Amino acid sequence: MVQVAFYDRAEDSVYKFAVIGAIKDGKWVLCRHGKRNTWECPGGHREAGERIEDTAKRELFEETGAETYVLHPVCAYSCMRNGGEASFGMLYFAQIESLGILPDYEIAEVKCFDELPKEREFWTYPDIQPYLIEKLDSFIEEGLAKE
């Protein structure tokens, strides 16, 4: 069992990863890792000495090929598995204007979806991603992502 909790912010040093909910032309942009058959939001682990926002920008490019976009911080969150230690990440929202060539790293496919499926089998991290999507939906609906 995974518990997901949300926070306005956390101390920068606790962030281990960044996840980016991305939309292009009104469609959700998801990626599929080359070793998996499931889909996920772009994101990944923070590298040593990297600001968490820079992690988000790097991962968005590496996992989608996004070249021009507007990035919005949404909130901090934590995941705790079976009562273990909480692991913190930062959730972002990106409005992608243009996608370039997908870098030859770990992602096999990028796809745009009109709607996100609810089936657990669709998601790489089914105990976490639906909660993040729900938070992103609220962020978008409240108009916080609009400039």
Side-chain angles (χ1 to χ4, degrees):
M1 176 89 177
V2 176
Q3 292 178 295
V4 179
F6 294 97
Y7 314 88
D8 288 336
R9 62 184 43 149
E11 174 61 38
D12 183 71
S13 64
V14 303
Y15 295 125
K16 293 185 178 179
F17 43 88
V19 173
I20 308 96
I23 290 183
K24 182 178 186 316
D25 300 328
K27 297 182 180 189
W28 288 98
V29 179
L30 299 179
C31 51
R32 185 181 60 76
H33 191 284
K35 295 182 180 178
R36 297 188 275 271
N37 294 320
T38 52
W39 293 89
E40 56 200 72
C41 294
H45 288 88
R46 181 183 200 173
E47 294 180 357
E50 190 173 50
R51 292 182 325 129
I52 196 64
E53 183 176 329
D54 293 332
T55 302
K57 291 175 181 178
R58 176 180 51 76
E59 291 289 350
L60 185 61
F61 171 73
E62 289 178 1
E63 297 195 353
T64 69
E67 292 181 330
T68 55
Y69 53 86
V70 177
L71 188 67
H72 305 271
V74 175
C75 65
Y77 71 98
S78 66
C79 299
M80 186 170 50
R81 188 175 301 278
N82 299 322
E85 186 177 335
S87 187
F88 284 82
M90 183 66 189
L91 180 62
Y92 290 89
F93 173 67
Q95 294 167 299
I96 298 175
E97 296 168 19
S98 67
L99 293 171
I101 296 171
L102 182 65
D104 189 19
Y105 294 128
E106 61 200 21
I107 300 302
E109 184 178 6
V110 175
K111 188 172 176 182
C112 296
F113 293 84
D114 288 322
E115 293 183 22
L116 298 176
K118 304 288 186 215
E119 298 82 16
R120 290 179 57 81
E121 301 79 30
F122 176 85
W123 297 104
T124 301
Y125 306 103
D127 294 332
I128 301 169
Q129 289 169 303
Y131 294 106
L132 301 183
I133 296 298
E134 187 176 301
K135 196 64 150 172
L136 289 162
D137 279 341
S138 295
F139 180 80
I140 294 165
E141 286 174 18
E142 291 172 13
L144 297 175
K146 294 189 172 45
E147 297 186 303

